[in-house]
Amino acid sequence: MEELSCGWRLYIRPDRISLSSKIKISKIRLFTLATTTLLHTMCDVLPTTRPQWQKAINDLPSSPAKIPAFFFAHGQPMLVWPKAIAPSAGRFAEVYKTAGPDGELAQFLQDFGKALVEKYSPRAVVVFSAHWESSGRETLVTDYGEENPLLMDYYGFPPDLYQVKFKSKGDSGVAQEVVAALKEAGISARTTSISESRGMDGRNFRGPGLDHGVFVPFKHMFGDEMDIPVVQVSIDGSLNPAKESRQVLILSGGLTYHNLQEFAFTESGARPVHKEFHKAILEALQVEEPEARQQAMYNLTNHPGFRPSHPREDHFVPIYVAAGAGEEGQVKILGAMYGIISVAFGL
């Protein structure tokens, strides 16, 4: 009897087969080995349920010399949409089931954030968000001091969503380290303070702040108040930052589906071309050899499903930011749910 993957067993009954040579017996053994390999491949399921993603997260190495860089699904304002006023009909109601405060993304972020703190005890979090693109070629790094303000850059939502609270602090030393690392990588960069506006938000407030691609998921990941300093960095389409390895956690937030016109944020509402692009992303991430994986990821922008999934590339760029920061080493898919893939780079 041979024990196979996924609880399968292969029984070879000597009394039921007639073998006249060791060669034939060897063929049986080779068949058993091949069957084991095949079943292992078939049963190596990507994490799409809570037990599966919890295992993937828990399997991340603890206290490594270099903390991996992470691309994570940052969700949308629905993550903090109060249940008391939850949408009851229409397309928002369907998306709310998976993207709301009790949905699978919220559950993933809660498990993910807790593990990051326990495994890495970072002295700071450096975060990139799809919602902050630099104008021109200069990358901006927040240096907001004792309390990071919030920029509620979402519009037309119920008033309750503009009462969201999340408290965190900046760190001037870390901000300067990030600027220096970016300049060393050949990227023009500078800090930005609380006196410099990022634009107008949904409250008609014009000013600085962490955008909703940061504070919305961070509320689920780290709670309403965060002791670890947070520094946000703007992105552009060509950003490929140097990795900061001195116990700084690099998080790059976006979405692997973001089309507000089609609004196919659920797998049940997605067209085949969206699902094919989702599959192509997962396949590219699983390429073992780093250079081949890099090429496969670059090729995703030529996939027929890229533009239907991303009319603008802003929410897809962050996956390249994380891949660039963790380009040395292996990749681990932590969450493979449709449209909200999350990945560790540089293992």
Side-chain angles (χ1 to χ4, degrees):
M1 181 186 73
E2 294 284 346
E3 189 75 36
L4 303 180
S5 302
C6 298
W8 287 78
R9 292 178 179 177
L10 177 66
Y11 292 89
I12 300 176
R13 293 276 305 272
D15 58 324
R16 295 292 179 89
I17 57 176
S18 176
L19 297 176
S20 58
S21 71
K22 291 182 179 179
I23 295 176
K24 290 182 179 178
I25 293 173
S26 296
K27 288 181 178 179
I28 291 290
R29 288 174 177 162
L30 285 171
F31 169 76
T32 304
L33 178 61
T35 305
T36 303
T37 304
L38 176 62
L39 281 173
H40 175 73
T41 302
M42 291 170 62
C43 299
D44 189 16
V45 179
L46 291 171
T48 57
T49 66
R50 194 165 198 177
Q52 291 168 349
W53 74 58
Q54 285 178 331
K55 182 180 187 306
I57 292 169
N58 290 336
D59 286 346
L60 288 169
S62 297
S63 303
K66 290 185 177 181
I67 300 177
F70 296 90
F71 169 76
F72 72 104
H74 67 31
Q76 50 188 294
M78 278 193 186
L79 280 171
V80 292
W81 194 310
K83 287 179 277 188
I85 57 168
S88 57
R91 62 182 187 174
F92 275 100
E94 185 62 29
V95 174
Y96 189 84
K97 294 175 185 176
T98 56
D102 291 330
E104 62 181 359
L105 179 55
Q107 294 172 13
F108 172 84
L109 292 171
Q110 290 156 17
D111 296 335
F112 180 48
K114 179 182 177 184
L116 293 178
V117 173
E118 291 177 351
K119 285 179 176 289
Y120 306 124
S121 301
R123 66 183 179 91
V125 172
V126 175
V127 59
F128 299 80
S129 162
H131 294 275
W132 192 15
E133 295 178 85
S134 300
S135 57
R137 305 299 296 177
E138 189 171 49
T139 297
L140 300 178
V141 180
T142 62
D143 185 2
Y144 287 157
E146 287 302 311
E147 184 167 353
N148 289 320
L150 305 183
L151 188 73
M152 298 187 176
D153 54 334
Y154 41 90
Y155 309 90
F157 284 81
D160 289 32
L161 269 72
Y162 298 101
Q163 304 301 316
V164 174
K165 305 295 182 186
F166 175 74
K167 188 173 182 180
S168 67
K169 60 186 176 183
D171 188 303
S172 292
V174 171
Q176 292 296 340
E177 287 177 25
V178 173
V179 168
L182 290 166
K183 287 182 176 179
E184 187 177 342
I187 299 169
S188 178
R190 66 173 176 84
T191 58
T192 178
S193 72
I194 57 172
S195 64
E196 186 173 0
S197 174
R198 280 188 52 185
M200 187 81 74
D201 73 6
R203 302 166 295 179
N204 291 322
F205 165 78
R206 182 178 294 278
L210 304 179
D211 59 62
H212 79 274
V214 178
F215 70 83
V216 165
F218 275 23
K219 277 180 68 70
H220 286 277
M221 294 167 67
F222 305 114
D224 293 337
E225 187 168 344
M226 190 172 173
D227 294 329
I228 304 166
V230 178
V231 171
Q232 184 174 358
V233 185
S234 65
I235 64 170
D236 66 49
S238 61
L239 188 59
N240 185 22
K243 175 135 185 195
E244 172 59 61
S245 61
R246 292 184 289 275
Q247 287 306 108
V248 170
L249 177 62
I250 295 177
L251 299 175
S252 188
L255 289 168
T256 47
Y257 173 88
H258 191 260
N259 184 332
L260 296 176
Q261 282 71 46
E262 290 199 46
F263 218 76
F265 286 98
T266 62
E267 190 166 10
S268 61
R271 293 191 287 125
V273 70
H274 300 138
K275 296 177 183 179
E276 288 162 10
F277 182 62
H278 174 75
K279 181 182 177 183
I281 298 169
L282 295 173
E283 289 174 348
L285 291 168
Q286 291 178 88
V287 174
E288 289 288 336
E289 202 279 317
E291 288 188 9
R293 181 173 61 246
Q294 184 182 63
Q295 188 59 53
M297 291 186 65
Y298 285 154
N299 290 343
L300 289 170
T301 57
N302 297 321
H303 189 280
F306 176 63
R307 282 304 176 193
S309 299
H310 293 276
R312 290 192 72 248
E313 60 273 9
D314 55 343
H315 277 71
F316 201 64
V317 168
I319 198 169
Y320 294 117
V321 175
E327 63 184 351
E328 296 179 4
Q330 297 302 307
V331 171
K332 186 177 183 63
I333 298 172
L334 305 177
M337 299 80 79
Y338 167 77
I340 51 173
I341 294 171
S342 293
V343 196
F345 293 93
L347 295 170

